[in-house]
Amino acid sequence: RIAAGGGTQIPDGLALGERALRDAPDAHVRRIVLVSDGIDGSGLGPDGVGALVRGWTPRGVSVASLGIGLDYDERFLTAVADAGRGAYAFLQSGAELEPFLVKELDRAGSTVAENVAIDLAFAGDLRITAAHGAEVQPGSTRVPFGPMAAGETRLVVLEIASRAERAGPLGDVRASLRFRDRAGDVPAAIEGAPLSLVAVGDAAAVEASRDPATWAQAEAIRLEREQARAIERWRAGDGAAAAALATSNAAGLRELQAHHDSPWIRQQLAEVEADAERFERMPAASAEGRAYGLRSNARRRARVQTGVYQ
């Protein structure tokens, strides 16, 4: 007896799903998959729905989102997935729905840890200014990942700032990996060795201290975020500025190759170069352009989270 009419109250639907999961046995995995155009009629907006979904994660609920077609609200659906520590994907047609749902069921069935997070303890005035690959709340030192399946990889790159005005020790950073072990249904923690940070005024000393592979991967992820900005400029109608930013990002990736070449960086470079070419010839408002932008951002988000080129 459901009939079309008016808007969709997405937060109410999500809340109904979360209430149903409360009655599930403790041993069950709690996962919601939102399949929607993300055009919400509640007025809550991306920030509001994010706050709602974020409140469920301490109880082990994860929320994935799936946008189908070319007219969904990408910002709304990615806000749901980010807050819910879940997957996000773009499907151009409903025919692609089955593989996504099968993958989600497989991940749910092989979940080995829940509420996975890294807690950081900073000495001095160190603080996180940006996070790539996880949603870190302003002022927080917790890096949450949500549930993880057997064999799953997650990667986070943190930008950490200090107000130090002169060279010298900045203090230690201590990291603790915390999660609920589903095998024994008990909390678990792994303490990492402290990492000592030092401020220097010599660029050569910075260069000498780098691990080439780690630095290259971190910079590549930062450039992924910059390329997402290029996509947004293109969508806003400024194809020339988007192409210029993509060209700059490609130059940055070539510089990384000179320090540490890898298949991941080569593939990323090829995609960025393709973006620069498409920005100048493909209208963003066309069906082809809309699909290209949605697909590119969905793939980019997955790569940033996992460190695996997809």
Side-chain angles (χ1 to χ4, degrees):
R1 293 177 294 175
I2 295 176
T8 306
Q9 302 293 317
I10 295 176
D12 288 347
L14 290 172
L16 185 62
E18 191 275 334
R19 285 197 295 274
L21 292 177
R22 292 182 195 177
D23 298 328
D26 289 342
H28 285 203
V29 173
R30 289 163 167 77
R31 177 163 291 161
I32 297 171
V33 178
L34 171 64
V35 182
S36 174
D37 59 8
I39 301 175
D40 176 47
S42 72
L44 205 56
D47 293 339
V49 75
L52 174 71
V53 170
R54 198 175 294 112
W56 302 334
T57 56
R59 297 195 291 274
V61 176
S62 66
V63 186
S65 65
L66 182 63
I68 297 181
L70 302 180
D71 298 317
Y72 67 84
D73 188 329
E74 181 183 31
R75 184 166 174 260
F76 189 95
L77 291 184
T78 53
V80 169
D82 287 346
R85 325 281 190 245
Y88 160 73
F90 155 69
L91 304 184
Q92 192 161 353
S93 71
E96 301 170 277
L97 178 60
E98 183 179 355
F100 178 86
L101 293 179
V102 168
K103 185 176 180 179
E104 281 297 295
L105 285 171
D106 287 344
R107 288 184 69 243
S110 60
T111 297
V112 294
E114 292 182 334
N115 295 333
V116 180
I118 294 176
D119 287 331
L120 299 172
F122 293 134
D125 65 354
L126 296 169
R127 64 197 184 283
I128 298 173
T129 57
H132 311 286
E135 187 193 54
V136 178
Q137 294 301 297
S140 175
T141 56
R142 166 161 283 206
V143 183
F145 295 103
M148 291 188 67
E152 184 177 357
T153 299
R154 292 297 300 270
L155 174 70
V156 62
V157 174
L158 300 177
E159 295 184 30
I160 300 173
S162 170
R163 296 184 180 89
E165 296 180 354
R166 59 183 60 88
L170 297 176
D172 290 346
V173 178
R174 295 181 178 272
S176 301
L177 174 65
R178 304 188 183 278
F179 57 96
R180 185 168 74 87
D181 186 346
R182 286 187 53 78
D185 196 25
V186 294
I190 300 173
E191 303 294 331
L195 175 67
S196 297
L197 299 184
V198 177
V200 298
D202 181 359
V206 174
E207 182 77 23
S209 72
R210 287 175 177 155
D211 175 83
T214 302
W215 175 74
Q217 190 171 39
E219 277 293 286
I221 286 177
R222 186 186 64 79
L223 288 169
E224 286 275 33
R225 283 295 184 94
E226 289 298 301
Q227 192 61 17
R229 288 180 54 221
I231 289 276
E232 291 310 308
R233 289 189 180 184
W234 172 61
R235 284 173 164 174
D238 196 345
L245 182 53
T247 300
S248 173
N249 293 337
L253 288 166
R254 292 191 196 96
E255 183 179 347
L256 289 184
Q257 276 188 305
H259 289 82
H260 180 78
D261 193 13
S262 73
W264 194 62
I265 292 176
R266 288 197 296 272
Q267 291 176 36
Q268 184 178 345
L269 174 59
E271 184 170 303
V272 169
E273 290 175 334
D275 282 348
E277 188 270 332
R278 284 181 171 89
F279 290 158
E280 295 185 332
R281 69 166 179 80
M282 183 190 296
S286 67
E288 182 186 15
R290 178 73 173 158
Y292 184 78
L294 291 170
R295 184 174 291 108
S296 294
N297 279 349
R299 284 202 308 264
R300 186 168 288 111
R301 179 185 182 275
R303 290 200 296 269
V304 168
Q305 285 192 318
T306 63
V308 177
Y309 203 94
Q310 303 181 35

